[in-house]
Coordinates of all heavy atoms in Angstrom, one line a residue:
K1 N 87.6 97.5 101.4 CA 89.0 97.3 101.7 C 89.1 97.4 103.2 O 88.7 98.4 103.8 CB 89.9 98.3 101.0 CG 90.1 97.9 99.6 CD 89.1 98.3 98.6 CE 88.9 99.8 98.5 NZ 88.2 100.3 97.4
T2 N 89.8 96.4 103.8 CA 90.0 96.4 105.2 C 91.2 95.6 105.7 O 91.8 94.9 104.8 CB 88.7 95.8 105.9 OG1 88.7 96.0 107.3 CG2 88.5 94.3 105.6
A3 N 91.4 95.5 106.9 CA 92.4 94.6 107.4 C 91.8 93.2 107.6 O 90.6 93.1 107.9 CB 92.9 95.1 108.8
T4 N 92.6 92.2 107.4 CA 92.0 90.8 107.5 C 91.5 90.6 108.8 O 90.4 89.9 109.0 CB 93.1 89.7 107.2 OG1 93.5 90.0 105.8 CG2 92.6 88.3 107.3
S5 N 92.0 91.1 109.9 CA 91.6 91.0 111.3 C 90.2 91.6 111.5 O 89.5 91.3 112.4 CB 92.5 91.6 112.2 OG 92.7 93.0 112.1
K6 N 89.7 92.4 110.5 CA 88.4 93.1 110.6 C 87.3 92.4 109.8 O 86.2 92.8 109.8 CB 88.5 94.5 110.2 CG 89.4 95.4 111.0 CD 88.7 95.8 112.3 CE 89.5 96.9 113.1 NZ 88.6 97.5 114.0
V7 N 87.7 91.4 109.0 CA 86.7 90.8 108.1 C 85.5 90.2 108.9 O 84.4 90.3 108.5 CB 87.3 89.7 107.3 CG1 86.3 88.8 106.5 CG2 88.3 90.3 106.3
D8 N 85.7 89.6 110.1 CA 84.6 89.1 110.9 C 83.6 90.2 111.3 O 82.4 90.1 111.3 CB 85.1 88.3 112.1 CG 85.6 86.9 111.7 OD1 85.3 86.4 110.6 OD2 86.3 86.4 112.5
D9 N 84.2 91.4 111.6 CA 83.4 92.6 112.0 C 82.6 93.0 110.7 O 81.4 93.4 110.9 CB 84.3 93.7 112.5 CG 85.0 93.4 113.7 OD1 84.5 92.6 114.5 OD2 86.1 93.9 113.9
V10 N 83.2 93.0 109.6 CA 82.5 93.4 108.3 C 81.3 92.4 108.1 O 80.2 92.8 107.9 CB 83.4 93.3 107.1 CG1 82.7 93.4 105.8 CG2 84.5 94.4 107.2
I11 N 81.6 91.1 108.3 CA 80.5 90.1 108.1 C 79.3 90.3 109.1 O 78.2 90.4 108.7 CB 81.1 88.7 108.2 CG1 82.0 88.4 107.0 CG2 79.9 87.6 108.2 CD1 82.8 87.2 107.2
K12 N 79.7 90.5 110.3 CA 78.7 90.7 111.4 C 77.9 92.0 111.1 O 76.6 92.0 111.1 CB 79.4 90.9 112.7 CG 78.4 91.0 113.9 CD 79.2 91.0 115.2 CE 78.3 91.1 116.4 NZ 77.6 92.3 116.6
Y13 N 78.5 93.1 110.7 CA 77.9 94.4 110.4 C 76.9 94.2 109.2 O 75.7 94.6 109.3 CB 78.8 95.5 110.1 CG 78.2 96.8 109.9 CD1 77.8 97.7 111.0 CD2 77.7 97.2 108.6 CE1 77.2 98.8 110.8 CE2 77.1 98.4 108.4 CZ 76.8 99.2 109.5 OH 76.1 100.4 109.3
V14 N 77.4 93.6 108.2 CA 76.5 93.4 107.0 C 75.3 92.5 107.3 O 74.2 92.8 107.0 CB 77.3 92.8 105.8 CG1 76.4 92.4 104.6 CG2 78.3 93.8 105.3
R15 N 75.5 91.4 108.1 CA 74.4 90.5 108.4 C 73.4 91.2 109.2 O 72.2 91.0 109.1 CB 75.0 89.3 109.1 CG 75.7 88.3 108.2 CD 76.2 87.1 108.9 NE 75.0 86.3 109.2 CZ 75.0 85.2 109.9 NH1 76.1 84.8 110.5 NH2 73.9 84.5 110.1
E16 N 73.8 92.1 110.1 CA 72.9 92.8 111.0 C 72.2 94.0 110.3 O 71.1 94.4 110.7 CB 73.6 93.4 112.1 CG 74.1 92.3 113.1 CD 75.0 92.9 114.3 OE1 75.4 94.0 114.2 OE2 75.2 92.1 115.2
N17 N 72.7 94.5 109.1 CA 72.1 95.7 108.5 C 71.7 95.4 107.0 O 71.2 96.4 106.4 CB 73.2 96.8 108.5 CG 73.4 97.2 109.9 OD1 72.7 98.0 110.5 ND2 74.5 96.8 110.5
H18 N 71.9 94.3 106.5 CA 71.5 94.0 105.1 C 70.1 93.4 105.0 O 69.7 92.6 105.9 CB 72.5 92.9 104.5 CG 72.6 92.9 103.1 ND1 71.5 92.4 102.3 CD2 73.6 93.2 102.2 CE1 71.9 92.4 101.0 NE2 73.2 92.9 101.0
P19 N 69.3 93.8 104.1 CA 67.9 93.4 104.0 C 67.7 92.0 103.5 O 66.6 91.4 103.6 CB 67.2 94.4 103.1 CG 68.4 94.9 102.2 CD 69.6 94.9 103.1
Y20 N 68.7 91.4 102.8 CA 68.5 90.1 102.2 C 68.5 89.0 103.3 O 69.2 89.1 104.3 CB 69.7 89.7 101.3 CG 69.8 90.5 100.0 CD1 68.8 91.5 99.6 CD2 70.7 90.2 99.0 CE1 69.0 92.2 98.5 CE2 70.9 90.9 97.8 CZ 70.0 91.9 97.5 OH 70.1 92.5 96.4
D21 N 67.7 87.9 103.1 CA 67.7 86.8 104.0 C 69.1 86.2 104.2 O 69.6 85.8 105.2 CB 66.8 85.7 103.6 CG 65.3 86.2 103.7 OD1 65.0 87.1 104.4 OD2 64.5 85.6 102.9
V22 N 69.8 86.1 103.0 CA 71.1 85.5 103.0 C 72.0 86.5 102.2 O 72.0 86.5 101.0 CB 71.2 84.1 102.3 CG1 72.6 83.6 102.2 CG2 70.3 83.2 103.0
A23 N 72.7 87.4 103.0 CA 73.5 88.4 102.3 C 74.8 87.7 101.8 O 75.4 87.0 102.5 CB 73.8 89.5 103.3
E24 N 75.2 88.2 100.6 CA 76.5 87.7 100.1 C 77.6 88.6 100.7 O 77.6 89.8 100.7 CB 76.6 87.9 98.6 CG 78.0 87.6 98.0 CD 78.1 87.9 96.6 OE1 77.1 88.4 95.9 OE2 79.1 87.7 96.0
V25 N 78.5 87.9 101.5 CA 79.7 88.6 102.0 C 80.8 87.5 101.9 O 80.8 86.5 102.6 CB 79.6 88.9 103.5 CG1 80.8 89.7 104.0 CG2 78.3 89.6 103.8
I26 N 81.7 87.8 100.9 CA 82.8 86.9 100.7 C 84.1 87.8 100.7 O 84.0 89.0 100.4 CB 82.7 86.1 99.4 CG1 82.5 87.1 98.2 CG2 81.6 85.2 99.4 CD1 82.5 86.4 96.8
S27 N 85.2 87.2 101.1 CA 86.4 88.0 101.1 C 87.6 87.3 100.6 O 87.6 86.0 100.6 CB 86.7 88.5 102.6 OG 87.1 87.4 103.4
F28 N 88.6 88.0 100.2 CA 89.8 87.5 99.6 C 91.0 88.3 100.3 O 90.9 89.5 100.4 CB 89.9 87.7 98.2 CG 88.7 87.0 97.4 CD1 87.6 87.8 97.1 CD2 88.8 85.7 97.1 CE1 86.5 87.2 96.5 CE2 87.7 85.1 96.4 CZ 86.6 85.9 96.1
K29 N 92.1 87.6 100.6 CA 93.2 88.2 101.1 C 94.0 88.9 100.0 O 94.1 88.4 98.9 CB 94.1 87.2 101.9 CG 93.5 86.8 103.2 CD 94.4 85.9 103.9 CE 93.7 85.4 105.2 NZ 94.5 84.5 106.0
I30 N 94.5 90.0 100.3 CA 95.4 90.8 99.3 C 96.8 90.2 99.5 O 97.4 90.3 100.6 CB 95.3 92.3 99.6 CG1 93.9 92.8 99.5 CG2 96.3 93.1 98.7 CD1 93.7 94.2 100.0
D31 N 97.3 89.7 98.4 CA 98.7 89.2 98.4 C 99.8 90.3 98.3 O 100.8 90.1 98.8 CB 98.9 88.2 97.2 CG 98.1 86.9 97.4 OD1 98.0 86.5 98.5 OD2 97.8 86.3 96.3
N32 N 99.5 91.4 97.7 CA 100.4 92.5 97.6 C 99.7 93.7 97.2 O 98.5 93.7 96.8 CB 101.4 92.1 96.4 CG 102.7 92.8 96.5 OD1 102.9 93.7 97.4 ND2 103.7 92.4 95.7
G33 N 100.3 94.9 97.5 CA 99.7 96.1 97.3 C 100.7 97.3 97.5 O 101.8 97.1 98.0
N34 N 100.3 98.5 97.2 CA 101.1 99.7 97.4 C 101.2 99.9 98.9 O 100.2 100.1 99.6 CB 100.3 100.8 96.7 CG 101.0 102.2 96.9 OD1 102.2 102.2 97.2 ND2 100.3 103.3 96.7
P35 N 102.5 99.8 99.4 CA 102.7 99.9 100.9 C 102.0 101.1 101.5 O 101.4 101.0 102.6 CB 104.2 99.8 101.0 CG 104.6 99.0 99.8 CD 103.7 99.4 98.7
P36 N 102.1 102.3 101.0 CA 101.5 103.5 101.6 C 100.0 103.3 101.7 O 99.3 103.7 102.7 CB 101.9 104.6 100.7 CG 103.1 104.2 100.1 CD 103.0 102.8 99.9
Y37 N 99.3 102.7 100.7 CA 97.9 102.5 100.7 C 97.5 101.4 101.8 O 96.6 101.7 102.6 CB 97.4 102.0 99.3 CG 95.9 101.9 99.3 CD1 95.1 102.9 99.1 CD2 95.3 100.6 99.5 CE1 93.7 102.8 99.1 CE2 93.9 100.5 99.5 CZ 93.1 101.6 99.2 OH 91.8 101.5 99.2
L38 N 98.3 100.4 101.9 CA 98.0 99.4 102.9 C 98.3 100.0 104.4 O 97.5 99.7 105.3 CB 98.9 98.2 102.7 CG 98.8 97.5 101.4 CD1 99.8 96.3 101.2 CD2 97.3 96.9 101.2
K39 N 99.3 100.8 104.5 CA 99.5 101.4 105.8 C 98.3 102.4 106.1 O 97.8 102.4 107.3 CB 100.8 102.3 105.7 CG 101.1 103.0 107.0 CD 102.4 103.8 106.8 CE 102.6 104.6 108.1 NZ 102.9 106.0 107.9
W40 N 97.8 103.1 105.1 CA 96.6 103.9 105.3 C 95.4 103.1 105.8 O 94.7 103.5 106.7 CB 96.2 104.6 104.0 CG 94.9 105.3 104.1 CD1 94.7 106.6 104.7 CD2 93.7 104.9 103.5 NE1 93.3 106.9 104.5 CE2 92.7 105.9 103.8 CE3 93.4 103.8 102.7 CZ2 91.5 105.8 103.3 CZ3 92.0 103.7 102.3 CH2 91.1 104.7 102.6
I41 N 95.2 101.9 105.2 CA 94.1 101.0 105.7 C 94.3 100.7 107.2 O 93.3 100.8 108.0 CB 94.1 99.6 104.9 CG1 93.6 99.9 103.5 CG2 93.1 98.6 105.6 CD1 93.7 98.6 102.6
D42 N 95.5 100.3 107.6 CA 95.8 100.1 109.0 C 95.4 101.3 109.9 O 94.8 101.2 110.9 CB 97.3 99.8 109.2 CG 97.6 98.4 108.9 OD1 96.8 97.5 109.1 OD2 98.8 98.1 108.5
E43 N 95.8 102.5 109.4 CA 95.6 103.7 110.2 C 94.1 104.0 110.3 O 93.6 104.3 111.4 CB 96.3 104.9 109.6 CG 97.8 104.8 109.7 CD 98.6 105.9 108.9 OE1 97.9 106.7 108.2 OE2 99.8 106.0 109.0
V44 N 93.4 103.8 109.3 CA 91.9 104.1 109.3 C 91.1 103.1 110.2 O 90.3 103.5 111.0 CB 91.4 104.1 107.8 CG1 89.8 104.2 107.9 CG2 92.0 105.3 107.1
V45 N 91.4 101.8 110.0 CA 90.6 100.9 110.7 C 91.2 100.6 112.2 O 90.7 99.8 112.9 CB 90.5 99.5 110.0 CG1 89.7 99.7 108.7 CG2 91.8 98.7 109.8
G46 N 92.3 101.2 112.4 CA 92.9 101.1 113.8 C 93.6 99.9 114.1 O 93.7 99.5 115.3
T47 N 94.2 99.2 113.1 CA 94.9 98.0 113.4 C 96.4 98.2 113.8 O 97.0 97.4 114.4 CB 94.9 97.0 112.2 OG1 95.2 97.6 111.1 CG2 93.4 96.4 112.1
K48 N 96.9 99.4 113.3 CA 98.3 99.7 113.7 C 98.3 101.2 114.0 O 97.6 102.0 113.4 CB 99.2 99.4 112.5 CG 99.4 97.9 112.3 CD 100.5 97.6 111.3 CE 100.5 96.1 111.1 NZ 101.3 95.7 110.0

């Protein structure tokens, strides 16, 4: 779980640290969620 703005960072980190030749990294945007939980994501990953 992350901010959409961090997905490229997630992909880069996984590609650099995953042992598979072709690591599966796929993402989906969250259309809706519990606002306090989403705010917590922002606080943890430093987007807000």
